[in-house]
Amino acid sequence: MDEYNRFVDWDKMDVTAQSQDAKELTCTEFQELKQLARQGHWAKNHSLRAKVYHKLISNIPCRTVTPDANVYRDIVVKIVGKRSSSSLPLPEFVDNSLVPTYCLNAEGISAVRKIILCIANQFPDISFCPALPSVIALLLHYSKDEAECFEQVCRILACNDPSKRLIDQTFLAFESSCMTFGDLVNKYCQAAHKLMVAVSEDVLEVYSDWQRWLFGELPMVYIARVFDVFLVEGYKVLYRVALALLKFFHKVRAGQPMESESVQQDIRAFVRDIAKSVSPERLLEKAFAIRLFSRKEIQLLQMANEKALQQKGITVKQKRQNVHLAVHAENFKSEIVSVKEMRDIWSWIPERFALCQPLLLFTTLEHGCSLSRFYSHSEGHEPTILLIKTTAKEVCGAYLSTDWSERRRGGNKLSFFGTGECFVFRLQPEVERYEWVIIKHPELATTGSEPENHAPSSSSTLSSGSVPSDPSDRLSPFLSARHFNLPSKTASMFMAGSSECIIIG
């Protein structure tokens, strides 16, 4: 074969990738690269993909002092010596039970562990990076030697472009990514989310597996196609593909009994055997068909979730058991909803608030039915959940994203406030959640002209909301941009209250 053959077991590789036609990648424009990556332009040629990876990774902006191939040659003998790499313990920041072999030969499998050990030596600041073994194993297929693979992985880890997120290297970053994925599932995969809530004790724990689906369970031919696009477009590709995997799992398995006692195990098994039901092309097609999904939205969610974790003091792996605080049966009492129903509501709210235990602020049994008293007890708390039980035994409610004190901004007029994170729901006679309709039907949004240097009025209503011309720069309608001191061009206000009434929706 060619110079990129050293670590590959060709009996395991996709035969279509063995084409050795002489090809070069000549384009440099981002849009053209993005199109070629999504189309799998270099997926059918092993040598071309290796050259493309080398070119894309060499263009990643890195720290001034980034370990290279020469560093690897200098340190590998000192770290590994003549011992077998399989006998050496891996650093704690990787999952020792999940080191993929993909289509590597025996030399390649040994090389993965050696490279991990050398990276641990050169990057003492890495505290949690479970995706690292998979990235190394994948890149070894397209490397001339261990040193070249080491250098490429180091460049990915040492990226210093603040707008370019690549691989999580701390527990805080990893856990906030899991929370962000949960937020995205909650909004963009509602049918799958409903199934997860129904079949799992802790839906947040299921979503914490999302990177493992990609970097561990996904077969070689699939993760390579994902990595093609990831190197061009960045971190958001990983979220998209994981969402697509969950959508396909729901489509294939909905209505069927779970094969194991754990839905986590079922999803992992589905991803491992994904070739039985979904092609790589179909997976990527589904991933990029998800609408209203931008890099800015991910950045804001990630920022909010990291902040929430830091405020709770959750920054290291040892504290993981405290991350997702469920609604405990022994501590929760309500005349309106059961513990199971409250857990369903808890699974709908943004992940950053799922860290908090619910606190009862107002109940008609103790405080009466006065709206002014309701406001006085609720003000100063954000967000809140409103639960209502009718005389006909129907149960409904709402998640309210904003402090009720905001209602006074309009003076004596009934003015709207809040964000698109608000939603209303019904629990009895059946469970249903109702969100901002434009999330599902963006064509219903009205477009209006707006001066570039003039921020939208804070009292804008839903009907007067304007949508930016560039969808990639649009803030998600369900994000509360004011929490980040950022201007938002999307008006999304869903709450209003006066001394006579409350309006939500």
Side-chain angles (χ1 to χ4, degrees):
M1 301 297 285
D2 62 10
E3 58 187 340
Y4 301 104
N5 178 48
R6 177 173 173 180
F7 304 109
V8 179
D9 182 344
W10 282 101
D11 291 335
K12 299 178 183 178
M13 280 287 281
D14 179 9
V15 292
T16 59
Q18 299 184 36
S19 170
Q20 295 302 312
D21 298 335
K23 293 182 180 179
E24 294 291 338
L25 185 71
T26 56
C27 70
T28 56
E29 294 295 324
F30 173 74
Q31 288 299 329
E32 187 177 356
L33 275 173
K34 183 168 79 170
Q35 184 178 8
L36 292 176
R38 292 190 182 188
Q39 292 173 348
H41 180 72
W42 45 81
K44 301 298 183 183
N45 187 291
H46 187 80
S47 179
L48 177 61
R49 179 180 260 159
K51 293 175 182 176
V52 171
Y53 280 6
H54 181 78
K55 182 174 183 178
L56 292 174
I57 294 173
S58 65
N59 288 332
I60 293 175
C62 296
R63 299 195 289 253
T64 304
V65 180
T66 298
D68 58 14
N70 291 327
V71 170
Y72 182 82
R73 297 185 185 101
D74 289 340
I75 66 175
V76 67
V77 176
K78 300 175 186 176
I79 293 173
V80 180
K82 296 181 179 180
R83 295 169 293 177
S84 169
S85 61
S86 61
S87 66
L88 298 173
L90 291 179
E92 291 184 358
F93 63 71
V94 301
D95 186 347
N96 195 24
S97 65
L98 193 67
V99 181
T101 59
Y102 294 133
C103 300
L104 294 173
N105 56 26
E107 184 182 3
I109 294 171
S110 175
V112 172
R113 298 180 71 89
K114 289 198 289 184
I115 294 171
I116 292 174
L117 292 166
C118 290
I119 285 176
N121 175 268
Q122 293 294 302
F123 288 84
D125 53 329
I126 296 180
S127 59
F128 197 73
C129 191
L132 184 61
S134 178
V135 172
I136 293 173
L138 177 63
L139 288 177
L140 263 178
H141 292 76
Y142 306 99
S143 301
K144 297 176 183 177
D145 56 29
E146 296 172 14
E148 182 179 85
C149 180
F150 171 84
E151 179 173 325
Q152 292 188 356
V153 177
C154 287
R155 292 194 64 82
I156 292 173
L157 294 171
C159 174
N160 62 357
D161 184 348
S163 65
K164 197 179 187 73
R165 186 187 184 99
L166 291 177
I167 297 179
D168 296 330
Q169 299 172 46
T170 66
F171 180 72
L172 178 64
F174 172 82
E175 190 63 35
S176 61
S177 293
C178 294
M179 293 171 66
T180 299
F181 179 71
D183 282 324
L184 297 174
V185 174
N186 204 341
K187 296 296 175 180
Y188 296 106
C189 305
Q190 291 184 19
H193 181 67
K194 193 172 183 178
L195 175 65
M196 295 301 105
V197 172
V199 301
S200 62
E201 281 290 324
D202 186 353
V203 68
L204 305 181
E205 190 66 26
V206 175
Y207 296 152
S208 70
D209 237 13
W210 79 277
Q211 288 195 28
R212 177 176 179 144
W213 304 343
L214 303 175
F215 296 111
E217 307 295 356
L218 206 59
M220 165 72 185
V221 66
Y222 289 78
I223 186 58
R225 285 294 304 275
V226 173
F227 209 75
D228 292 346
V229 191
F230 166 72
L231 285 179
V232 176
E233 299 187 47
Y235 200 82
K236 72 173 184 178
V237 170
L238 304 182
Y239 283 124
R240 284 188 172 276
V241 175
L243 288 171
L245 287 171
L246 195 61
K247 281 177 175 284
F248 279 120
F249 174 79
H250 172 260
K251 181 179 180 180
V252 173
R253 301 298 297 278
Q256 300 179 15
M258 293 294 123
E259 293 184 355
S260 71
E261 295 181 358
S262 166
V263 68
Q264 286 177 276
Q265 297 297 332
D266 279 6
I267 296 176
R268 291 175 187 176
F270 172 79
V271 175
R272 283 196 298 271
D273 298 329
I274 194 171
K276 296 178 180 178
S277 53
V278 182
S279 67
E281 291 76 19
R282 182 75 184 97
L283 178 63
L284 289 176
E285 180 184 327
K286 187 76 168 179
F288 291 105
I290 302 170
R291 305 185 68 178
L292 286 178
F293 195 95
S294 70
R295 182 179 286 107
K296 179 174 285 187
E297 175 179 324
I298 293 172
Q299 289 172 340
L300 290 177
L301 282 171
Q302 195 88 25
M303 186 192 312
N305 288 325
E306 283 192 7
K307 182 178 179 181
L309 286 166
Q310 288 173 326
Q311 289 175 341
K312 289 288 179 180
I314 300 167
T315 57
V316 296
K317 189 172 186 293
Q318 285 74 10
K319 293 185 179 180
R320 177 155 191 172
Q321 63 269 24
N322 298 323
V323 173
H324 301 314
L325 299 179
V327 180
H328 300 299
E330 62 272 16
N331 298 329
F332 179 78
K333 294 180 182 179
S334 172
E335 299 291 329
I336 298 179
V337 295
S338 66
V339 173
K340 170 63 171 64
E341 289 171 329
M342 193 61 189
R343 282 177 175 164
D344 287 345
I345 297 170
W346 219 243
S347 72
W348 295 333
I349 69 175
E351 295 279 344
R352 61 188 181 276
F353 298 121
L355 295 170
C356 307
Q357 289 281 12
L359 173 67
L360 181 63
L361 300 175
F362 176 88
T363 169
T364 54
L365 291 177
E366 295 181 21
H367 306 110
C369 299
S370 166
L371 270 181
S372 60
R373 191 172 295 133
F374 167 80
Y375 292 137
S376 67
H377 281 264
S378 302
E379 286 179 3
H381 298 274
E382 178 182 324
T384 52
I385 293 174
L386 177 65
L387 297 172
I388 301 171
K389 189 171 186 176
T390 71
T391 55
K393 307 300 182 183
E394 296 173 327
V395 177
C396 59
Y399 170 79
L400 309 169
S401 65
T402 308
D403 192 332
W404 276 105
S405 62
E406 293 281 313
R407 75 187 189 283
R408 300 199 198 92
R409 290 186 306 173
N412 294 325
K413 295 194 306 181
L414 189 68
S415 60
F416 283 82
F417 59 102
T419 73
E421 282 187 315
C422 293
F423 61 84
V424 295
F425 56 85
R426 180 176 58 195
L427 297 175
Q428 297 291 343
E430 66 272 335
V431 178
E432 194 61 60
R433 177 172 50 144
Y434 306 93
E435 295 187 297
W436 193 38
V437 69
I438 297 179
I439 291 177
K440 291 184 175 180
H441 303 286
E443 67 276 5
L444 298 181
T446 56
T447 304
S449 58
E450 185 175 270
E452 292 183 2
N453 60 351
H454 181 65
S457 169
S458 62
S459 60
S460 299
T461 64
L462 175 61
S463 60
S464 65
S466 61
V467 179
S469 59
D470 180 8
S472 66
D473 193 49
R474 182 189 304 151
L475 286 180
S476 166
F478 65 83
L479 274 172
S480 181
R482 65 190 180 82
H483 290 162
F484 311 99
N485 297 319
L486 295 174
S488 172
K489 295 181 181 179
T490 304
S492 51
M493 302 187 180
F494 297 84
M495 302 163 55
S498 68
S499 58
E500 291 83 26
C501 68
I502 289 176
I503 300 175
I504 306 164

